[in-house]
Amino acid sequence: MRPSILRRRLASLLPPRLSVKLAAALGTLVLVMTGVTSFVSYHYFAHILTQENLKKDAQVLRQNAQQLESSVQELMIITRNLLADPQLQQFCHTEDPDYFQREEAAELLTRYLSVQDLLHSALILHEDQVLWNLYPLDQTFDALKTSPDEIRPAGFTEAFQVHSGVDSLWLAAYHTPISDLAHPQQKIGELWVLLDLRQLESRIAAWNLPQQEMTLMQGQTVLISSPSGINEQRLDAVNAISSAAVQPVRSGYYLTSPVEGTPYTLLSYRPHAALRGRASFLIVFFILFSLLIFLLFLLILSRIVKQFTAPLTTLTDGLNQFASGDLTTQIDIHSHDELEVLGDTFNTMVVRIHQLLDQAVEDEKIRKKLKFDMMISKIHPHFIYNTLNSVIVMARRGGNQEVVDMVRALILILQDGMAVHEDLLMDTIARERSVIEAYVTIQNYRYKQKFSVVYDIEPGLEEQLIAKNILQPLVENAIFHGIIPKDGPGQLTLSIHRRQDQLHVEVRDDGVGLRPELAALIEQGAEALSAHRQAEKNSVHSIALVNVCERLEFLYGHPIHLKVQSELGKGTAFLFDLPLVTKGGSTS
């Protein structure tokens, strides 16, 4: 039987979706089994390597501790020789040594100490005198004066810092009583051999390895810290530095090695990550092993399932193409199974969605146009009402020319409103200024000498497009709620300037100002202002501002932040930035 016929029969018995599930299940099973086996094997061998690495690191630490022990033994030999030196004995028996005797004793100490670089200097405490071999007459160590009855037993001191002249010394000391050779029970002084901890730190630094830094401890006190501080970061997890070579903690191991004959201990911290890092080749090996097994399985399985996944691939490509925005996507599947039905359903769905989206776009355009027309319709009756009232008053007074000017201004405002309904939603700054001037003309007839308007418009911006009916409501708000309630005349300033790729607009007055809570509400936007209007039925202060905020959001496609600067009794300023709009109506 030919392979092609066999494949067709297998396809008829086993639906494509089952073959994919079978391939995924087998692949997952092999991958999990290989991964678990590799994981267990890795951890087993990594544990063995970790223990071996710890032993090697502990051995290195012990070797370094032995080098320190050798230095300490040399120190003990030097100290014993000094204690038995006749010249030192004679000096300690002298009750009041003169200058030359002190110099000779200092030279004696210097000769003995010069054989080792760790030894900084030495002291002789004799009755109430202190002799320092570096500066026999220096008083740096006078605080160590003591009587023979108070001489301490031999031992090492803690680290200490002293200042001698301009030098700062970081030292530790080994001190021992000086006994009379003829009468060993009689103490005639005390000898202090000072260790230069900076020299000791340099020596330990030379022993440090990139993966193993060392710290010198004295009990629980850090005497010389590690260069990076890694050893000291987790010392609080160790209850006590014991003599055990390896002390496990939560995040790694502490290796310790005491320096025999001293209270000092060498310590090194080995984190788990560093120890496992040495076994990184195992990770690579087991990962490659797992991948090799899995790839071999995929190579065999892919040939079997490839033919069953072709329709699904076609459907996936169609879905991706549709998701990227191609609403005319159509796919062609002839697998004579569920996927063919799914493909036909997909084609029908794409056509239907395309039709629904076209309809939704048209509906949204109509909805936005109706909403904007409603916004504009809220303003015109307010203009007409106020203006006609003023015309009636002037007609009674007989001011014919004033009536003519008022009517012309009203006609200009009404013409501008009609232009909005003709889909002219943007206009030039010059045209909007003319509308404001007409409005100001009307209000100046109503409120003689009550206010003046200053126009601060950057030259060259007159033909720049701006949203219609945005500036006039702010000017109206400033006049009626800022300047009119004020005692005496006021001034209103309209400023428009270009800042990079935006128009910066300010409407500023020197009127009565706003309450802080109302200013905060305005800055929150149209939604907060609308809620305030509903809460206070008799409040009309925010009507124009609500319309301005809503129209800005409608025309520019996103909320425009309206900033308020106000102080009671001094005035109010409304500030906002608008994107530049080209002649075609697009924002830059």
Side-chain angles (χ1 to χ4, degrees):
M1 185 179 293
R2 289 186 299 177
S4 59
I5 299 176
L6 177 61
R7 284 196 295 268
R8 284 196 296 271
R9 290 188 177 181
L10 289 174
S12 63
L13 296 175
L14 188 64
R17 62 179 183 275
L18 294 180
S19 64
V20 173
K21 290 181 179 181
L22 180 60
L26 291 175
T28 303
L29 180 61
V30 171
L31 183 61
V32 170
M33 291 179 63
T34 306
V36 170
T37 303
S38 300
F39 179 79
V40 173
S41 301
Y42 163 73
H43 275 274
Y44 174 74
F45 289 109
H47 176 74
I48 294 176
L49 287 176
T50 297
Q51 296 303 315
E52 290 297 322
N53 290 331
L54 282 174
K55 290 179 181 179
K56 291 179 182 179
D57 292 344
Q59 185 178 4
V60 171
L61 193 69
R62 182 58 195 154
Q63 291 172 353
N64 294 330
Q66 288 174 348
Q67 294 187 46
L68 286 181
E69 291 171 8
S70 298
S71 299
V72 171
Q73 290 176 0
E74 292 179 14
L75 168 64
M76 297 301 180
I77 294 172
I78 293 171
T79 302
R80 286 197 296 270
N81 291 338
L82 263 173
L83 294 176
D85 190 281
Q87 187 177 349
L88 179 67
Q89 290 282 321
Q90 182 180 356
F91 177 79
C92 290
H93 280 92
T94 304
E95 293 184 0
D96 188 15
D98 58 21
Y99 173 80
F100 297 102
Q101 291 172 325
R102 295 176 66 88
E103 284 290 334
E104 290 175 357
E107 292 177 2
L108 173 68
L109 296 176
T110 302
R111 280 199 309 273
Y112 274 95
L113 300 181
S114 61
V115 298
Q116 191 181 125
D117 57 350
L118 292 182
L119 303 182
H120 179 269
S121 54
L123 306 170
I124 298 176
L125 278 64
H126 172 50
E127 295 184 353
D128 61 345
Q129 300 183 29
V130 178
L131 171 67
W132 187 16
N133 70 309
L134 295 184
Y135 304 102
L137 300 178
D138 189 271
Q139 298 179 347
T140 300
F141 295 95
D142 280 0
L144 299 177
K145 291 178 181 179
T146 182
S147 64
D149 296 335
E150 298 175 348
I151 293 178
R152 291 149 288 204
F156 286 88
T157 67
E158 294 182 355
F160 58 91
Q161 188 175 24
V162 296
H163 299 277
S164 177
V166 296
D167 294 332
S168 178
L169 306 177
W170 183 241
L171 307 170
Y174 173 76
H175 59 89
T176 181
I178 303 175
S179 301
D180 187 347
L181 293 180
H183 304 88
Q185 300 301 322
Q186 182 180 354
K187 309 303 180 182
I188 57 176
E190 188 174 359
L191 175 64
W192 283 52
V193 179
L194 304 180
L195 302 177
D196 190 341
L197 293 183
R198 292 180 181 174
Q199 288 289 338
L200 184 58
E201 183 177 8
S202 299
R203 179 177 295 188
I204 293 176
W207 298 339
N208 284 329
L209 299 174
Q211 297 295 329
Q212 185 176 14
E213 298 180 5
M214 299 182 189
T215 298
L216 187 64
M217 305 288 296
Q218 184 175 7
Q220 294 295 115
T221 303
V222 175
L223 201 62
I224 296 177
S225 60
S226 57
S228 66
I230 186 173
N231 295 343
E232 294 75 36
Q233 292 175 359
R234 298 166 182 82
L235 275 177
D236 55 349
V238 183
N239 295 328
I241 302 299
S242 66
S243 59
V246 180
Q247 299 183 58
V249 293
R250 182 176 182 180
S251 55
Y253 298 89
Y254 269 105
L255 306 180
T256 59
S257 182
V259 181
E260 299 296 337
T262 71
Y264 306 138
T265 302
L266 270 182
L267 177 141
S268 178
Y269 172 70
R270 310 298 293 119
H272 289 305
L275 292 171
R276 290 172 182 168
R278 297 185 182 181
S280 57
F281 71 93
L282 288 176
I283 299 177
V284 176
F285 171 77
F286 285 114
I287 289 177
L288 291 177
F289 174 75
S290 301
L291 288 176
L292 180 61
I293 297 299
F294 186 65
L295 289 176
L296 287 175
F297 175 77
L298 286 183
L299 182 62
I300 297 172
L301 187 62
S302 61
R303 295 182 177 272
I304 300 175
V305 300
K306 184 177 180 180
Q307 59 178 333
F308 303 124
T309 60
L312 188 59
T313 302
T314 302
L315 179 60
T316 302
D317 293 340
L319 288 170
N320 290 333
Q321 188 175 354
F322 179 75
S324 64
D326 187 358
L327 301 183
T328 61
T329 302
Q330 294 289 294
I331 60 177
D332 188 15
I333 297 177
H334 299 286
S335 58
H336 307 290
D337 53 22
E338 296 90 336
L339 288 177
E340 183 175 350
V341 176
L342 187 59
D344 294 340
T345 304
F346 172 79
N347 293 334
T348 304
M349 178 192 69
V350 169
V351 173
R352 181 58 180 160
I353 289 177
H354 186 64
Q355 294 173 349
L356 291 175
L357 285 177
D358 290 342
Q359 183 64 39
V361 170
E362 294 299 323
D363 292 345
E364 181 65 16
K365 289 181 180 179
I366 296 173
R367 187 188 68 82
K368 287 189 174 182
K369 184 64 171 60
L370 290 174
K371 180 179 179 181
F372 190 76
D373 290 344
M374 290 177 65
M375 294 178 190
I376 299 302
S377 67
K378 295 178 183 177
I379 299 173
H380 288 164
H382 192 60
F383 286 153
I384 297 171
Y385 175 78
N386 289 335
T387 304
L388 292 179
N389 273 340
S390 299
V391 170
I392 292 172
V393 172
M394 287 185 291
R396 288 175 178 174
R397 293 176 181 173
N400 295 332
Q401 185 58 42
E402 293 179 348
V403 171
V404 171
D405 293 340
M406 288 277 284
V407 172
R408 283 177 177 173
L410 177 60
I411 291 172
L412 177 60
I413 293 173
L414 293 177
Q415 287 176 337
D416 182 70
M418 292 174 65
V420 174
H421 289 279
E422 294 170 358
D423 287 338
L424 182 60
L425 305 182
M426 295 281 181
D427 210 342
T428 62
I429 293 177
R431 176 66 179 174
E432 289 300 290
R433 174 176 174 171
S434 66
V435 174
I436 294 173
E437 289 174 342
Y439 176 77
V440 170
T441 298
I442 295 173
Q443 299 304 333
N444 271 327
Y445 279 112
R446 294 185 64 194
Y447 305 100
K448 295 291 187 179
Q449 306 301 323
K450 183 61 178 178
F451 65 90
S452 61
V453 181
V454 176
Y455 300 94
D456 178 20
I457 300 176
E458 181 179 328
L461 293 180
E462 290 82 2
E463 297 305 314
Q464 173 64 44
L465 294 180
I466 193 172
K468 287 186 67 62
N469 296 107
I470 296 300
L471 302 178
Q472 186 274 333
L474 294 176
V475 172
E476 178 183 2
N477 183 80
I479 292 174
F480 278 95
H481 300 288
I483 297 176
I484 298 304
K486 173 184 177 180
D487 294 333
Q491 179 175 292
L492 184 148
T493 303
L494 171 63
S495 299
I496 304 178
H497 293 271
R498 180 168 183 161
R499 290 185 178 177
Q500 297 179 351
D501 57 348
Q502 290 187 319
L503 289 177
H504 180 70
V505 181
E506 293 187 15
V507 178
R508 188 179 298 273
D509 66 74
D510 58 357
V512 297
L514 293 176
R515 291 178 287 110
E517 55 271 19
L518 183 55
L521 273 174
I522 295 172
E523 289 193 341
Q524 293 176 24
E527 186 175 348
L529 282 172
S530 298
H532 176 69
R533 284 181 53 202
Q534 293 175 2
E536 299 188 20
K537 302 297 184 180
N538 59 346
S539 174
V540 296
H541 186 75
S542 58
I543 295 177
L545 295 177
V546 171
N547 291 333
V548 167
C549 293
E550 290 178 344
R551 277 180 282 154
L552 284 173
E553 181 176 352
F554 168 75
L555 293 174
Y556 290 97
H558 57 84
I560 301 296
H561 180 62
L562 190 63
K563 186 177 181 181
V564 183
Q565 295 177 351
S566 182
E567 186 175 351
L568 289 175
K570 294 188 177 181
T572 304
F574 294 94
L575 307 88
F576 55 94
D577 294 317
L578 300 176
L580 293 177
V581 179
T582 61
K583 287 293 184 181
S586 61
T587 58
S588 61

